[in-house]
Amino acid sequence: MISTTGWVLRTWLKFTMLLVLVVGGVWLWFGTGSGWFWTAAIGAGLIEWALIRQLVREWAWQARGEWWWAR
């Protein structure tokens, strides 16, 4: 279970850092007054929300099969 938890945390961190870099790049290129920045920020928030939900599902599915009370 620790390996699954580590995988989930690494995956979450990779995607979060990618989204931060994308939003930061849009911010540097267009500034905060641009609609592109706000579109990128809202899109990154939605992607992050969907990613977290999916990783929690994956972790829970794995936990059901590996923990001692499931056997």
Side-chain angles (χ1 to χ4, degrees):
M1 200 58 221
I2 290 182
S3 64
T4 302
T5 302
W7 173 82
V8 165
L9 290 174
R10 282 190 310 274
T11 303
W12 171 75
L13 187 59
K14 285 180 202 176
F15 277 99
T16 300
M17 291 308 297
L18 177 66
L19 291 171
V20 165
L21 289 173
V22 168
V23 172
V26 171
W27 171 67
L28 287 173
W29 189 261
F30 294 109
T32 58
S34 171
W36 287 108
F37 169 74
W38 295 108
T39 302
I42 290 170
L46 292 173
I47 291 170
E48 183 79 14
W49 174 72
L51 174 69
I52 290 171
R53 282 183 49 127
Q54 189 59 40
L55 287 173
V56 166
R57 285 181 189 160
E58 183 74 25
W59 186 88
W61 182 82
Q62 194 72 17
R64 278 188 218 108
E66 288 188 15
W67 281 4
W68 60 271
W69 61 74
R71 294 178 184 186

